[in-house]
Amino acid sequence: MRTIVITGGTDGIGRGLALRRLAEGERVVVLGSDPAKGARLLQEAVRLGAGERAGFVQADLGSVARSRAVAAELAAAHPAVDALVLGAYRYNPARVRTAEGFEQTFALYVLSRHLLAEGLRGSLERAAGTPVILSLCGVGGIKAGTIRWDDLQREREPYRAGRVTMQGARANDLLGVSFAERHAGGRTRYVLYNPGFVATGMTQSLRRPMRGLTKAAAALFAQPVDRAVGPIAALLDRPPAGPLSAFFRGRPVGLDRPEFDRANAARLHAALLSLLGEPALE
Ligand SMILES: NC(=O)c1ccc[n+]([C@@H]2O[C@H](COP(=O)([O-])OP(=O)(O)OC[C@H]3O[C@@H](n4cnc5c(N)ncnc54)[C@H](OP(=O)(O)O)[C@@H]3O)[C@@H](O)[C@H]2O)c1
């Protein structure tokens, strides 16, 4: 039985994927910050006859300490992990500074994804099949988004939710590049996946009138979660051969694009280690 860990597995795309994998007989551990959503997911798992294969870990992944701890707990509990899906994200209409002093979108979307991928790498490497990390992110030819190298947490400018989100998406691309470069001898594949516009509860955290407008647009243009999950599940079943790959709604994206620049990936990695107070070993 394969084991799949899904951050943001209590809602939206992550939840759809979790339920699908549970229905198919796999062991699934989902992470989310809201215990009520976790409980609902577990109830649904019981209804599917998969209660014993479902796990929920309550964790605010906007916390560096909690992300580190939960990665260590999961690694201890699951010596082998077949897939890690990084899907936790929240749109913050206003700037939020975490108790640890980080800008929350950056902490959740970038720092926590780095910590979970590194923290679970040992378990992934022990998987019987081909282990894979799949990051649900912003890759796929989207022009928006720049990385402000001298101000990664955008502290020296007025807060713009779209800007921090799109910078996070760019950074997620680079996390994949950096992981594949630094662990080139490993077995774990890294897949960057932009699902396109998907009808999820993500609109709930938007402010009016954006919330209403985005919901209306979603009703017209967004894919339902069930359809969006199909190509993601297929990639987990048959990860691409290369250490890094990128997709937009199931279609491959060339890795020669500027957003996958190796020097920028190394630069981001060095910046993250410095922010996290970790030694630069690699
Ligand atoms: N939907 C789209 O159109 C779209 C398009 C492109 C990319 N994506 C990407 O796909 C991923 C999933 O998006 P979605 O639309 O499915 O999102 P969603 O429905 O809003 O679900 C987000 C998930 O993240 C979890 N989460 C949020 N804050 C968290 C925190 N501090 N700690 C732990 N977990 C947290 C939520 O659980 P709790 O509420 O319990 O914390 C929830 O399970 C995201 O990375 C997003 O950037 C989505």
Side-chain angles (χ1 to χ4, degrees):
M1 189 194 311
R2 297 199 303 179
T3 299
I4 171 169
V5 175
I6 308 177
T7 78
T10 56
D11 213 341
I13 303 166
R15 183 176 194 274
L17 183 66
L19 293 175
R20 181 178 175 133
R21 295 275 98 155
L22 285 168
E24 290 169 351
E26 297 190 353
R27 180 183 295 118
V28 179
V29 181
V30 301
L31 280 67
S33 66
D34 180 348
K37 285 189 190 176
R40 280 200 291 276
L41 188 282
L42 293 181
Q43 277 167 12
E44 188 64 15
V46 169
R47 206 187 59 78
L48 292 170
E52 288 179 5
R53 289 183 279 106
F56 166 63
V57 178
Q58 195 273 329
D60 174 6
L61 298 175
S63 160
V64 164
R66 187 70 182 121
S67 295
R68 274 199 183 108
V70 90
E73 286 163 19
L74 287 168
H78 303 281
V81 169
D82 297 272
L84 168 65
V85 177
L86 299 168
Y89 166 72
R90 182 152 6 251
Y91 180 92
N92 288 313
R95 192 191 305 272
V96 178
R97 183 181 279 266
T98 68
E100 295 163 329
F102 294 108
E103 189 280 308
Q104 193 179 48
T105 307
F106 185 78
L108 175 63
Y109 209 21
V110 184
L111 295 177
S112 127
R113 290 192 183 203
H114 162 75
L115 290 167
L116 282 154
E118 297 300 328
L120 283 175
R121 198 175 84 82
S123 294
L124 285 157
E125 288 291 308
R126 282 189 287 273
T130 304
V132 59
I133 298 171
L134 187 143
S135 181
L136 289 166
C137 59
V139 78
I142 291 174
K143 296 276 185 287
T146 49
I147 295 192
R148 183 61 59 82
W149 290 106
D150 61 345
D151 184 19
L152 280 174
Q153 297 182 69
R154 304 270 179 163
E155 289 164 318
R156 291 186 229 133
E157 61 183 38
Y159 180 82
R160 300 277 287 275
R163 279 191 194 160
V164 300
T165 295
M166 290 315 298
Q167 171 173 277
R170 294 276 75 86
N172 270 316
D173 292 344
L174 295 177
L175 288 186
V177 176
S178 165
F179 187 97
E181 285 283 307
R182 287 179 295 106
H183 306 303
R187 299 170 57 240
T188 306
R189 316 269 167 84
Y190 206 111
V191 178
L192 299 163
Y193 192 92
N194 182 343
F197 193 10
V198 183
T200 67
M202 202 159 70
T203 45
Q204 288 307 116
S205 47
L206 298 175
R207 279 189 174 145
R208 291 195 176 88
M210 273 307 285
R211 192 190 310 167
L213 290 171
T214 311
K215 273 188 182 169
L220 289 173
F221 304 115
Q223 287 192 87
V225 165
D226 285 351
R227 201 178 321 142
V229 158
I232 298 171
L235 283 165
L236 298 184
D237 288 339
R238 290 173 296 282
L244 177 71
S245 53
F247 295 84
F248 176 70
R249 290 184 67 161
R251 290 191 302 277
V253 174
L255 296 177
D256 52 353
R257 299 179 60 89
E259 54 264 34
F260 306 119
D261 184 84
R262 288 179 190 174
N264 282 342
R267 185 177 184 185
L268 180 68
H269 183 67
L272 296 190
L273 292 185
S274 165
L275 279 171
L276 293 166
E278 292 179 3
L281 296 175
E282 298 104 337

